[in-house]
Amino acid sequence: MLFNVPQFIDVEDKVAGPFTAKQLLWMFGMGAVLLVLWNILEKPAFFVSAVPIVALFMALAFYRPYNQPLIRFILFSLLFLFRPKVYVWKRIPHKIASQAGKKKTPATMEKEKKKMLNPENIEALARVLDSEGRERNEKIMEIIKRNQKSK
């Protein structure tokens, strides 16, 4: 059996000409607000206040930042501004958690000491990197070889 698969499911249906139902509702809302202002305000005040209202309602009807409706964009912006921002980082690596119960022997402490970079080694490594490998340091080459063997 063959079935027709619907395409363009993310496109809203056009209700009247090129306008969708949401766009028509925003424009009807704009018309209602302008009608109320026409009856309340005098003509010069009405025309001054009508321009930003028309711009706002037209943006709400047609402007889609990041391909989402402007009202949703404004809502999420307000939620971002007023919600508390708490960032929690919980790191419990398995290696550290498993080693927490073990006691360190002198041999493991010596191995850890060898693996650690001390300030002199860091300075030597920085000099090697700054010279782009022209300047060699035997200690650094030894540490690099040791790290490659352990991997």
Side-chain angles (χ1 to χ4, degrees), residues 70-94:
L70 182 62
I71 190 72
R72 182 182 296 167
F73 189 79
I74 292 170
L75 175 71
F76 288 147
S77 299
L78 290 173
L79 287 175
F80 174 77
L81 285 174
F82 294 113
R83 279 192 180 162
K85 291 160 193 66
V86 177
Y87 302 103
V88 179
W89 181 51
K90 295 180 181 178
R91 180 174 181 245
I92 305 173
H94 301 290

mmCIF file with all atom_site columns, all heavy atoms in Angstrom, residues 70-94:
data_model
loop_
_atom_site.group_PDB
_atom_site.id
_atom_site.type_symbol
_atom_site.label_atom_id
_atom_site.label_alt_id
_atom_site.label_comp_id
_atom_site.label_asym_id
_atom_site.label_entity_id
_atom_site.label_seq_id
_atom_site.pdbx_PDB_ins_code
_atom_site.Cartn_x
_atom_site.Cartn_y
_atom_site.Cartn_z
_atom_site.occupancy
_atom_site.B_iso_or_equiv
_atom_site.pdbx_formal_charge
_atom_site.auth_seq_id
_atom_site.auth_comp_id
_atom_site.auth_asym_id
_atom_site.auth_atom_id
_atom_site.pdbx_PDB_model_num
ATOM 1   N N   . LEU A 1 70 ? 7.456  36.425 17.150 1.00 0.00 ? 70 LEU A N   1
ATOM 2   C CA  . LEU A 1 70 ? 8.027  37.480 17.999 1.00 0.00 ? 70 LEU A CA  1
ATOM 3   C C   . LEU A 1 70 ? 7.471  37.419 19.421 1.00 0.00 ? 70 LEU A C   1
ATOM 4   O O   . LEU A 1 70 ? 8.205  37.663 20.375 1.00 0.00 ? 70 LEU A O   1
ATOM 5   C CB  . LEU A 1 70 ? 7.765  38.854 17.390 1.00 0.00 ? 70 LEU A CB  1
ATOM 6   C CG  . LEU A 1 70 ? 8.350  40.040 18.144 1.00 0.00 ? 70 LEU A CG  1
ATOM 7   C CD1 . LEU A 1 70 ? 9.869  39.947 18.194 1.00 0.00 ? 70 LEU A CD1 1
ATOM 8   C CD2 . LEU A 1 70 ? 7.930  41.343 17.520 1.00 0.00 ? 70 LEU A CD2 1
ATOM 9   N N   . ILE A 1 71 ? 6.211  37.062 19.587 1.00 0.00 ? 71 ILE A N   1
ATOM 10  C CA  . ILE A 1 71 ? 5.631  37.003 20.932 1.00 0.00 ? 71 ILE A CA  1
ATOM 11  C C   . ILE A 1 71 ? 6.330  35.935 21.765 1.00 0.00 ? 71 ILE A C   1
ATOM 12  O O   . ILE A 1 71 ? 6.589  36.129 22.953 1.00 0.00 ? 71 ILE A O   1
ATOM 13  C CB  . ILE A 1 71 ? 4.093  36.788 20.882 1.00 0.00 ? 71 ILE A CB  1
ATOM 14  C CG1 . ILE A 1 71 ? 3.478  36.976 22.262 1.00 0.00 ? 71 ILE A CG1 1
ATOM 15  C CG2 . ILE A 1 71 ? 3.746  35.445 20.320 1.00 0.00 ? 71 ILE A CG2 1
ATOM 16  C CD1 . ILE A 1 71 ? 3.451  38.387 22.733 1.00 0.00 ? 71 ILE A CD1 1
ATOM 17  N N   . ARG A 1 72 ? 6.667  34.797 21.160 1.00 0.00 ? 72 ARG A N   1
ATOM 18  C CA  . ARG A 1 72 ? 7.389  33.744 21.871 1.00 0.00 ? 72 ARG A CA  1
ATOM 19  C C   . ARG A 1 72 ? 8.803  34.225 22.213 1.00 0.00 ? 72 ARG A C   1
ATOM 20  O O   . ARG A 1 72 ? 9.308  33.959 23.303 1.00 0.00 ? 72 ARG A O   1
ATOM 21  C CB  . ARG A 1 72 ? 7.445  32.478 21.034 1.00 0.00 ? 72 ARG A CB  1
ATOM 22  C CG  . ARG A 1 72 ? 8.152  31.347 21.762 1.00 0.00 ? 72 ARG A CG  1
ATOM 23  C CD  . ARG A 1 72 ? 8.249  30.108 20.929 1.00 0.00 ? 72 ARG A CD  1
ATOM 24  N NE  . ARG A 1 72 ? 6.913  29.577 20.659 1.00 0.00 ? 72 ARG A NE  1
ATOM 25  C CZ  . ARG A 1 72 ? 6.670  28.656 19.754 1.00 0.00 ? 72 ARG A CZ  1
ATOM 26  N NH1 . ARG A 1 72 ? 7.631  28.178 19.019 1.00 0.00 ? 72 ARG A NH1 1
ATOM 27  N NH2 . ARG A 1 72 ? 5.447  28.212 19.573 1.00 0.00 ? 72 ARG A NH2 1
ATOM 28  N N   . PHE A 1 73 ? 9.421  34.928 21.277 1.00 0.00 ? 73 PHE A N   1
ATOM 29  C CA  . PHE A 1 73 ? 10.767 35.467 21.505 1.00 0.00 ? 73 PHE A CA  1
ATOM 30  C C   . PHE A 1 73 ? 10.756 36.445 22.687 1.00 0.00 ? 73 PHE A C   1
ATOM 31  O O   . PHE A 1 73 ? 11.631 36.402 23.548 1.00 0.00 ? 73 PHE A O   1
ATOM 32  C CB  . PHE A 1 73 ? 11.248 36.151 20.227 1.00 0.00 ? 73 PHE A CB  1
ATOM 33  C CG  . PHE A 1 73 ? 12.678 36.565 20.247 1.00 0.00 ? 73 PHE A CG  1
ATOM 34  C CD1 . PHE A 1 73 ? 13.683 35.650 20.020 1.00 0.00 ? 73 PHE A CD1 1
ATOM 35  C CD2 . PHE A 1 73 ? 13.026 37.889 20.477 1.00 0.00 ? 73 PHE A CD2 1
ATOM 36  C CE1 . PHE A 1 73 ? 15.009 36.032 20.024 1.00 0.00 ? 73 PHE A CE1 1
ATOM 37  C CE2 . PHE A 1 73 ? 14.340 38.277 20.492 1.00 0.00 ? 73 PHE A CE2 1
ATOM 38  C CZ  . PHE A 1 73 ? 15.332 37.342 20.268 1.00 0.00 ? 73 PHE A CZ  1
ATOM 39  N N   . ILE A 1 74 ? 9.765  37.310 22.739 1.00 0.00 ? 74 ILE A N   1
ATOM 40  C CA  . ILE A 1 74 ? 9.645  38.276 23.841 1.00 0.00 ? 74 ILE A CA  1
ATOM 41  C C   . ILE A 1 74 ? 9.386  37.550 25.158 1.00 0.00 ? 74 ILE A C   1
ATOM 42  O O   . ILE A 1 74 ? 9.978  37.883 26.190 1.00 0.00 ? 74 ILE A O   1
ATOM 43  C CB  . ILE A 1 74 ? 8.540  39.305 23.533 1.00 0.00 ? 74 ILE A CB  1
ATOM 44  C CG1 . ILE A 1 74 ? 8.962  40.192 22.367 1.00 0.00 ? 74 ILE A CG1 1
ATOM 45  C CG2 . ILE A 1 74 ? 8.212  40.139 24.758 1.00 0.00 ? 74 ILE A CG2 1
ATOM 46  C CD1 . ILE A 1 74 ? 7.866  41.080 21.840 1.00 0.00 ? 74 ILE A CD1 1
ATOM 47  N N   . LEU A 1 75 ? 8.508  36.544 25.126 1.00 0.00 ? 75 LEU A N   1
ATOM 48  C CA  . LEU A 1 75 ? 8.191  35.787 26.339 1.00 0.00 ? 75 LEU A CA  1
ATOM 49  C C   . LEU A 1 75 ? 9.436  35.093 26.890 1.00 0.00 ? 75 LEU A C   1
ATOM 50  O O   . LEU A 1 75 ? 9.721  35.182 28.092 1.00 0.00 ? 75 LEU A O   1
ATOM 51  C CB  . LEU A 1 75 ? 7.098  34.760 26.051 1.00 0.00 ? 75 LEU A CB  1
ATOM 52  C CG  . LEU A 1 75 ? 6.752  33.827 27.200 1.00 0.00 ? 75 LEU A CG  1
ATOM 53  C CD1 . LEU A 1 75 ? 6.029  34.591 28.290 1.00 0.00 ? 75 LEU A CD1 1
ATOM 54  C CD2 . LEU A 1 75 ? 5.936  32.669 26.706 1.00 0.00 ? 75 LEU A CD2 1
ATOM 55  N N   . PHE A 1 76 ? 10.182 34.421 26.033 1.00 0.00 ? 76 PHE A N   1
ATOM 56  C CA  . PHE A 1 76 ? 11.390 33.742 26.496 1.00 0.00 ? 76 PHE A CA  1
ATOM 57  C C   . PHE A 1 76 ? 12.446 34.734 26.976 1.00 0.00 ? 76 PHE A C   1
ATOM 58  O O   . PHE A 1 76 ? 13.203 34.446 27.901 1.00 0.00 ? 76 PHE A O   1
ATOM 59  C CB  . PHE A 1 76 ? 11.960 32.840 25.402 1.00 0.00 ? 76 PHE A CB  1
ATOM 60  C CG  . PHE A 1 76 ? 11.145 31.604 25.164 1.00 0.00 ? 76 PHE A CG  1
ATOM 61  C CD1 . PHE A 1 76 ? 11.042 31.057 23.906 1.00 0.00 ? 76 PHE A CD1 1
ATOM 62  C CD2 . PHE A 1 76 ? 10.470 30.974 26.204 1.00 0.00 ? 76 PHE A CD2 1
ATOM 63  C CE1 . PHE A 1 76 ? 10.294 29.920 23.673 1.00 0.00 ? 76 PHE A CE1 1
ATOM 64  C CE2 . PHE A 1 76 ? 9.715  29.835 25.985 1.00 0.00 ? 76 PHE A CE2 1
ATOM 65  C CZ  . PHE A 1 76 ? 9.629  29.316 24.717 1.00 0.00 ? 76 PHE A CZ  1
ATOM 66  N N   . SER A 1 77 ? 12.511 35.905 26.347 1.00 0.00 ? 77 SER A N   1
ATOM 67  C CA  . SER A 1 77 ? 13.453 36.934 26.805 1.00 0.00 ? 77 SER A CA  1
ATOM 68  C C   . SER A 1 77 ? 13.093 37.403 28.215 1.00 0.00 ? 77 SER A C   1
ATOM 69  O O   . SER A 1 77 ? 13.975 37.577 29.065 1.00 0.00 ? 77 SER A O   1
ATOM 70  C CB  . SER A 1 77 ? 13.443 38.129 25.852 1.00 0.00 ? 77 SER A CB  1
ATOM 71  O OG  . SER A 1 77 ? 13.825 37.727 24.574 1.00 0.00 ? 77 SER A OG  1
ATOM 72  N N   . LEU A 1 78 ? 11.808 37.618 28.451 1.00 0.00 ? 78 LEU A N   1
ATOM 73  C CA  . LEU A 1 78 ? 11.379 38.043 29.786 1.00 0.00 ? 78 LEU A CA  1
ATOM 74  C C   . LEU A 1 78 ? 11.617 36.949 30.819 1.00 0.00 ? 78 LEU A C   1
ATOM 75  O O   . LEU A 1 78 ? 12.042 37.233 31.950 1.00 0.00 ? 78 LEU A O   1
ATOM 76  C CB  . LEU A 1 78 ? 9.904  38.445 29.770 1.00 0.00 ? 78 LEU A CB  1
ATOM 77  C CG  . LEU A 1 78 ? 9.576  39.734 29.014 1.00 0.00 ? 78 LEU A CG  1
ATOM 78  C CD1 . LEU A 1 78 ? 8.070  39.934 28.931 1.00 0.00 ? 78 LEU A CD1 1
ATOM 79  C CD2 . LEU A 1 78 ? 10.251 40.922 29.648 1.00 0.00 ? 78 LEU A CD2 1
ATOM 80  N N   . LEU A 1 79 ? 11.346 35.696 30.444 1.00 0.00 ? 79 LEU A N   1
ATOM 81  C CA  . LEU A 1 79 ? 11.603 34.601 31.373 1.00 0.00 ? 79 LEU A CA  1
ATOM 82  C C   . LEU A 1 79 ? 13.091 34.511 31.701 1.00 0.00 ? 79 LEU A C   1
ATOM 83  O O   . LEU A 1 79 ? 13.468 34.263 32.851 1.00 0.00 ? 79 LEU A O   1
ATOM 84  C CB  . LEU A 1 79 ? 11.119 33.278 30.782 1.00 0.00 ? 79 LEU A CB  1
ATOM 85  C CG  . LEU A 1 79 ? 9.609  33.085 30.734 1.00 0.00 ? 79 LEU A CG  1
ATOM 86  C CD1 . LEU A 1 79 ? 9.268  31.791 30.021 1.00 0.00 ? 79 LEU A CD1 1
ATOM 87  C CD2 . LEU A 1 79 ? 9.005  33.114 32.113 1.00 0.00 ? 79 LEU A CD2 1
ATOM 88  N N   . PHE A 1 80 ? 13.929 34.709 30.710 1.00 0.00 ? 80 PHE A N   1
ATOM 89  C CA  . PHE A 1 80 ? 15.375 34.676 30.949 1.00 0.00 ? 80 PHE A CA  1
ATOM 90  C C   . PHE A 1 80 ? 15.799 35.802 31.890 1.00 0.00 ? 80 PHE A C   1
ATOM 91  O O   . PHE A 1 80 ? 16.633 35.615 32.767 1.00 0.00 ? 80 PHE A O   1
ATOM 92  C CB  . PHE A 1 80 ? 16.137 34.782 29.633 1.00 0.00 ? 80 PHE A CB  1
ATOM 93  C CG  . PHE A 1 80 ? 17.617 34.891 29.808 1.00 0.00 ? 80 PHE A CG  1
ATOM 94  C CD1 . PHE A 1 80 ? 18.368 33.769 30.118 1.00 0.00 ? 80 PHE A CD1 1
ATOM 95  C CD2 . PHE A 1 80 ? 18.266 36.108 29.680 1.00 0.00 ? 80 PHE A CD2 1
ATOM 96  C CE1 . PHE A 1 80 ? 19.731 33.856 30.287 1.00 0.00 ? 80 PHE A CE1 1
ATOM 97  C CE2 . PHE A 1 80 ? 19.628 36.202 29.855 1.00 0.00 ? 80 PHE A CE2 1
ATOM 98  C CZ  . PHE A 1 80 ? 20.365 35.070 30.160 1.00 0.00 ? 80 PHE A CZ  1
ATOM 99  N N   . LEU A 1 81 ? 15.226 36.980 31.713 1.00 0.00 ? 81 LEU A N   1
ATOM 100 C CA  . LEU A 1 81 ? 15.607 38.120 32.544 1.00 0.00 ? 81 LEU A CA  1
ATOM 101 C C   . LEU A 1 81 ? 15.185 37.946 33.998 1.00 0.00 ? 81 LEU A C   1
ATOM 102 O O   . LEU A 1 81 ? 15.918 38.330 34.909 1.00 0.00 ? 81 LEU A O   1
ATOM 103 C CB  . LEU A 1 81 ? 14.997 39.405 31.989 1.00 0.00 ? 81 LEU A CB  1
ATOM 104 C CG  . LEU A 1 81 ? 15.655 39.962 30.734 1.00 0.00 ? 81 LEU A CG  1
ATOM 105 C CD1 . LEU A 1 81 ? 14.860 41.150 30.223 1.00 0.00 ? 81 LEU A CD1 1
ATOM 106 C CD2 . LEU A 1 81 ? 17.083 40.372 31.021 1.00 0.00 ? 81 LEU A CD2 1
ATOM 107 N N   . PHE A 1 82 ? 13.998 37.395 34.234 1.00 0.00 ? 82 PHE A N   1
ATOM 108 C CA  . PHE A 1 82 ? 13.462 37.393 35.577 1.00 0.00 ? 82 PHE A CA  1
ATOM 109 C C   . PHE A 1 82 ? 13.600 36.076 36.330 1.00 0.00 ? 82 PHE A C   1
ATOM 110 O O   . PHE A 1 82 ? 13.348 36.034 37.526 1.00 0.00 ? 82 PHE A O   1
ATOM 111 C CB  . PHE A 1 82 ? 11.990 37.830 35.552 1.00 0.00 ? 82 PHE A CB  1
ATOM 112 C CG  . PHE A 1 82 ? 11.834 39.259 35.128 1.00 0.00 ? 82 PHE A CG  1
ATOM 113 C CD1 . PHE A 1 82 ? 11.224 39.575 33.927 1.00 0.00 ? 82 PHE A CD1 1
ATOM 114 C CD2 . PHE A 1 82 ? 12.331 40.286 35.903 1.00 0.00 ? 82 PHE A CD2 1
ATOM 115 C CE1 . PHE A 1 82 ? 11.097 40.890 33.518 1.00 0.00 ? 82 PHE A CE1 1
ATOM 116 C CE2 . PHE A 1 82 ? 12.207 41.601 35.498 1.00 0.00 ? 82 PHE A CE2 1
ATOM 117 C CZ  . PHE A 1 82 ? 11.587 41.912 34.310 1.00 0.00 ? 82 PHE A CZ  1
ATOM 118 N N   . ARG A 1 83 ? 13.961 35.003 35.670 1.00 0.00 ? 83 ARG A N   1
ATOM 119 C CA  . ARG A 1 83 ? 14.179 33.750 36.394 1.00 0.00 ? 83 ARG A CA  1
ATOM 120 C C   . ARG A 1 83 ? 15.547 33.776 37.058 1.00 0.00 ? 83 ARG A C   1
ATOM 121 O O   . ARG A 1 83 ? 16.494 34.341 36.517 1.00 0.00 ? 83 ARG A O   1
ATOM 122 C CB  . ARG A 1 83 ? 14.125 32.565 35.440 1.00 0.00 ? 83 ARG A CB  1
ATOM 123 C CG  . ARG A 1 83 ? 12.733 32.136 35.131 1.00 0.00 ? 83 ARG A CG  1
ATOM 124 C CD  . ARG A 1 83 ? 12.749 30.808 34.426 1.00 0.00 ? 83 ARG A CD  1
ATOM 125 N NE  . ARG A 1 83 ? 11.392 30.391 34.134 1.00 0.00 ? 83 ARG A NE  1
ATOM 126 C CZ  . ARG A 1 83 ? 11.090 29.469 33.251 1.00 0.00 ? 83 ARG A CZ  1
ATOM 127 N NH1 . ARG A 1 83 ? 12.039 28.876 32.573 1.00 0.00 ? 83 ARG A NH1 1
ATOM 128 N NH2 . ARG A 1 83 ? 9.845  29.150 33.037 1.00 0.00 ? 83 ARG A NH2 1
ATOM 129 N N   . PRO A 1 84 ? 15.671 33.161 38.199 1.00 0.00 ? 84 PRO A N   1
ATOM 130 C CA  . PRO A 1 84 ? 16.989 33.108 38.837 1.00 0.00 ? 84 PRO A CA  1
ATOM 131 C C   . PRO A 1 84 ? 17.921 32.220 38.016 1.00 0.00 ? 84 PRO A C   1
ATOM 132 O O   . PRO A 1 84 ? 17.519 31.207 37.465 1.00 0.00 ? 84 PRO A O   1
ATOM 133 C CB  . PRO A 1 84 ? 16.709 32.495 40.206 1.00 0.00 ? 84 PRO A CB  1
ATOM 134 C CG  . PRO A 1 84 ? 15.407 31.810 40.076 1.00 0.00 ? 84 PRO A CG  1
ATOM 135 C CD  . PRO A 1 84 ? 14.637 32.525 39.013 1.00 0.00 ? 84 PRO A CD  1
ATOM 136 N N   . LYS A 1 85 ? 19.161 32.652 37.936 1.00 0.00 ? 85 LYS A N   1
ATOM 137 C CA  . LYS A 1 85 ? 20.150 31.919 37.158 1.00 0.00 ? 85 LYS A CA  1
ATOM 138 C C   . LYS A 1 85 ? 21.099 31.211 38.117 1.00 0.00 ? 85 LYS A C   1
ATOM 139 O O   . LYS A 1 85 ? 21.929 31.835 38.754 1.00 0.00 ? 85 LYS A O   1
ATOM 140 C CB  . LYS A 1 85 ? 20.904 32.869 36.246 1.00 0.00 ? 85 LYS A CB  1
ATOM 141 C CG  . LYS A 1 85 ? 20.018 33.419 35.143 1.00 0.00 ? 85 LYS A CG  1
ATOM 142 C CD  . LYS A 1 85 ? 20.615 34.682 34.592 1.00 0.00 ? 85 LYS A CD  1
ATOM 143 C CE  . LYS A 1 85 ? 19.648 35.436 33.742 1.00 0.00 ? 85 LYS A CE  1
ATOM 144 N NZ  . LYS A 1 85 ? 18.510 35.961 34.418 1.00 0.00 ? 85 LYS A NZ  1
ATOM 145 N N   . VAL A 1 86 ? 20.933 29.925 38.228 1.00 0.00 ? 86 VAL A N   1
ATOM 146 C CA  . VAL A 1 86 ? 21.773 29.124 39.096 1.00 0.00 ? 86 VAL A CA  1
ATOM 147 C C   . VAL A 1 86 ? 22.403 28.045 38.237 1.00 0.00 ? 86 VAL A C   1
ATOM 148 O O   . VAL A 1 86 ? 21.702 27.251 37.609 1.00 0.00 ? 86 VAL A O   1
ATOM 149 C CB  . VAL A 1 86 ? 20.956 28.477 40.239 1.00 0.00 ? 86 VAL A CB  1
ATOM 150 C CG1 . VAL A 1 86 ? 21.844 27.599 41.092 1.00 0.00 ? 86 VAL A CG1 1
ATOM 151 C CG2 . VAL A 1 86 ? 20.302 29.543 41.077 1.00 0.00 ? 86 VAL A CG2 1
ATOM 152 N N   . TYR A 1 87 ? 23.713 28.050 38.171 1.00 0.00 ? 87 TYR A N   1
ATOM 153 C CA  . TYR A 1 87 ? 24.428 27.060 37.397 1.00 0.00 ? 87 TYR A CA  1
ATOM 154 C C   . TYR A 1 87 ? 25.151 26.143 38.373 1.00 0.00 ? 87 TYR A C   1
ATOM 155 O O   . TYR A 1 87 ? 25.964 26.591 39.164 1.00 0.00 ? 87 TYR A O   1
ATOM 156 C CB  . TYR A 1 87 ? 25.428 27.724 36.461 1.00 0.00 ? 87 TYR A CB  1
ATOM 157 C CG  . TYR A 1 87 ? 24.768 28.700 35.519 1.00 0.00 ? 87 TYR A CG  1
ATOM 158 C CD1 . TYR A 1 87 ? 24.852 30.066 35.735 1.00 0.00 ? 87 TYR A CD1 1
ATOM 159 C CD2 . TYR A 1 87 ? 24.028 28.242 34.440 1.00 0.00 ? 87 TYR A CD2 1
ATOM 160 C CE1 . TYR A 1 87 ? 24.246 30.957 34.883 1.00 0.00 ? 87 TYR A CE1 1
ATOM 161 C CE2 . TYR A 1 87 ? 23.412 29.123 33.593 1.00 0.00 ? 87 TYR A CE2 1
ATOM 162 C CZ  . TYR A 1 87 ? 23.524 30.476 33.809 1.00 0.00 ? 87 TYR A CZ  1
ATOM 163 O OH  . TYR A 1 87 ? 22.916 31.353 32.968 1.00 0.00 ? 87 TYR A OH  1
ATOM 164 N N   . VAL A 1 88 ? 24.831 24.868 38.311 1.00 0.00 ? 88 VAL A N   1
ATOM 165 C CA  . VAL A 1 88 ? 25.402 23.901 39.242 1.00 0.00 ? 88 VAL A CA  1
ATOM 166 C C   . VAL A 1 88 ? 26.196 22.895 38.430 1.00 0.00 ? 88 VAL A C   1
ATOM 167 O O   . VAL A 1 88 ? 25.701 22.334 37.453 1.00 0.00 ? 88 VAL A O   1
ATOM 168 C CB  . VAL A 1 88 ? 24.290 23.172 40.033 1.00 0.00 ? 88 VAL A CB  1
ATOM 169 C CG1 . VAL A 1 88 ? 24.897 22.158 40.980 1.00 0.00 ? 88 VAL A CG1 1
ATOM 170 C CG2 . VAL A 1 88 ? 23.455 24.181 40.793 1.00 0.00 ? 88 VAL A CG2 1
ATOM 171 N N   . TRP A 1 89 ? 27.413 22.673 38.842 1.00 0.00 ? 89 TRP A N   1
ATOM 172 C CA  . TRP A 1 89 ? 28.262 21.710 38.165 1.00 0.00 ? 89 TRP A CA  1
ATOM 173 C C   . TRP A 1 89 ? 28.619 20.630 39.157 1.00 0.00 ? 89 TRP A C   1
ATOM 174 O O   . TRP A 1 89 ? 29.262 20.892 40.164 1.00 0.00 ? 89 TRP A O   1
ATOM 175 C CB  . TRP A 1 89 ? 29.514 22.371 37.618 1.00 0.00 ? 89 TRP A CB  1
ATOM 176 C CG  . TRP A 1 89 ? 30.407 21.442 36.886 1.00 0.00 ? 89 TRP A CG  1
ATOM 177 C CD1 . TRP A 1 89 ? 30.074 20.596 35.888 1.00 0.00 ? 89 TRP A CD1 1
ATOM 178 C CD2 . TRP A 1 89 ? 31.807 21.262 37.106 1.00 0.00 ? 89 TRP A CD2 1
ATOM 179 N NE1 . TRP A 1 89 ? 31.158 19.921 35.451 1.00 0.00 ? 89 TRP A NE1 1
ATOM 180 C CE2 . TRP A 1 89 ? 32.248 20.296 36.187 1.00 0.00 ? 89 TRP A CE2 1
ATOM 181 C CE3 . TRP A 1 89 ? 32.722 21.811 37.979 1.00 0.00 ? 89 TRP A CE3 1
ATOM 182 C CZ2 . TRP A 1 89 ? 33.556 19.883 36.123 1.00 0.00 ? 89 TRP A CZ2 1
ATOM 183 C CZ3 . TRP A 1 89 ? 34.030 21.398 37.905 1.00 0.00 ? 89 TRP A CZ3 1
ATOM 184 C CH2 . TRP A 1 89 ? 34.434 20.445 36.983 1.00 0.00 ? 89 TRP A CH2 1
ATOM 185 N N   . LYS A 1 90 ? 28.181 19.424 38.885 1.00 0.00 ? 90 LYS A N   1
ATOM 186 C CA  . LYS A 1 90 ? 28.481 18.305 39.768 1.00 0.00 ? 90 LYS A CA  1
ATOM 187 C C   . LYS A 1 90 ? 29.392 17.357 39.016 1.00 0.00 ? 90 LYS A C   1
ATOM 188 O O   . LYS A 1 90 ? 28.974 16.723 38.058 1.00 0.00 ? 90 LYS A O   1
ATOM 189 C CB  . LYS A 1 90 ? 27.199 17.578 40.171 1.00 0.00 ? 90 LYS A CB  1
ATOM 190 C CG  . LYS A 1 90 ? 26.274 18.420 41.002 1.00 0.00 ? 90 LYS A CG  1
ATOM 191 C CD  . LYS A 1 90 ? 25.038 17.638 41.365 1.00 0.00 ? 90 LYS A CD  1
ATOM 192 C CE  . LYS A 1 90 ? 24.101 18.513 42.175 1.00 0.00 ? 90 LYS A CE  1
ATOM 193 N NZ  . LYS A 1 90 ? 22.865 17.820 42.517 1.00 0.00 ? 90 LYS A NZ  1
ATOM 194 N N   . ARG A 1 91 ? 30.605 17.271 39.460 1.00 0.00 ? 91 ARG A N   1
ATOM 195 C CA  . ARG A 1 91 ? 31.561 16.387 38.809 1.00 0.00 ? 91 ARG A CA  1
ATOM 196 C C   . ARG A 1 91 ? 32.004 15.342 39.813 1.00 0.00 ? 91 ARG A C   1
ATOM 197 O O   . ARG A 1 91 ? 32.605 15.658 40.834 1.00 0.00 ? 91 ARG A O   1
ATOM 198 C CB  . ARG A 1 91 ? 32.772 17.170 38.319 1.00 0.00 ? 91 ARG A CB  1
ATOM 199 C CG  . ARG A 1 91 ? 33.777 16.276 37.652 1.00 0.00 ? 91 ARG A CG  1
ATOM 200 C CD  . ARG A 1 91 ? 34.895 17.105 37.054 1.00 0.00 ? 91 ARG A CD  1
ATOM 201 N NE  . ARG A 1 91 ? 35.831 16.238 36.400 1.00 0.00 ? 91 ARG A NE  1
ATOM 202 C CZ  . ARG A 1 91 ? 37.082 16.074 36.786 1.00 0.00 ? 91 ARG A CZ  1
ATOM 203 N NH1 . ARG A 1 91 ? 37.542 16.750 37.808 1.00 0.00 ? 91 ARG A NH1 1
ATOM 204 N NH2 . ARG A 1 91 ? 37.877 15.269 36.144 1.00 0.00 ? 91 ARG A NH2 1
ATOM 205 N N   . ILE A 1 92 ? 31.710 14.108 39.509 1.00 0.00 ? 92 ILE A N   1
ATOM 206 C CA  . ILE A 1 92 ? 32.142 13.004 40.368 1.00 0.00 ? 92 ILE A CA  1
ATOM 207 C C   . ILE A 1 92 ? 32.808 11.988 39.446 1.00 0.00 ? 92 ILE A C   1
ATOM 208 O O   . ILE A 1 92 ? 32.169 11.055 38.973 1.00 0.00 ? 92 ILE A O   1
ATOM 209 C CB  . ILE A 1 92 ? 30.959 12.357 41.110 1.00 0.00 ? 92 ILE A CB  1
ATOM 210 C CG1 . ILE A 1 92 ? 30.199 13.431 41.884 1.00 0.00 ? 92 ILE A CG1 1
ATOM 211 C CG2 . ILE A 1 92 ? 31.443 11.255 42.029 1.00 0.00 ? 92 ILE A CG2 1
ATOM 212 C CD1 . ILE A 1 92 ? 28.922 12.945 42.506 1.00 0.00 ? 92 ILE A CD1 1
ATOM 213 N N   . PRO A 1 93 ? 34.061 12.207 39.125 1.00 0.00 ? 93 PRO A N   1
ATOM 214 C CA  . PRO A 1 93 ? 34.724 11.237 38.245 1.00 0.00 ? 93 PRO A CA  1
ATOM 215 C C   . PRO A 1 93 ? 34.916 9.908  38.956 1.00 0.00 ? 93 PRO A C   1
ATOM 216 O O   . PRO A 1 93 ? 35.139 9.845  40.159 1.00 0.00 ? 93 PRO A O   1
ATOM 217 C CB  . PRO A 1 93 ? 36.059 11.891 37.926 1.00 0.00 ? 93 PRO A CB  1
ATOM 218 C CG  . PRO A 1 93 ? 36.240 12.964 38.909 1.00 0.00 ? 93 PRO A CG  1
ATOM 219 C CD  . PRO A 1 93 ? 34.900 13.316 39.472 1.00 0.00 ? 93 PRO A CD  1
ATOM 220 N N   . HIS A 1 94 ? 34.814 8.831  38.196 1.00 0.00 ? 94 HIS A N   1
ATOM 221 C CA  . HIS A 1 94 ? 34.914 7.488  38.768 1.00 0.00 ? 94 HIS A CA  1
ATOM 222 C C   . HIS A 1 94 ? 36.311 7.221  39.316 1.00 0.00 ? 94 HIS A C   1
ATOM 223 O O   . HIS A 1 94 ? 36.467 6.567  40.331 1.00 0.00 ? 94 HIS A O   1
ATOM 224 C CB  . HIS A 1 94 ? 34.556 6.448  37.709 1.00 0.00 ? 94 HIS A CB  1
ATOM 225 C CG  . HIS A 1 94 ? 33.176 6.624  37.172 1.00 0.00 ? 94 HIS A CG  1
ATOM 226 N ND1 . HIS A 1 94 ? 32.052 6.363  37.926 1.00 0.00 ? 94 HIS A ND1 1
ATOM 227 C CD2 . HIS A 1 94 ? 32.735 7.063  35.977 1.00 0.00 ? 94 HIS A CD2 1
ATOM 228 C CE1 . HIS A 1 94 ? 30.984 6.622  37.209 1.00 0.00 ? 94 HIS A CE1 1
ATOM 229 N NE2 . HIS A 1 94 ? 31.369 7.046  36.019 1.00 0.00 ? 94 HIS A NE2 1
#
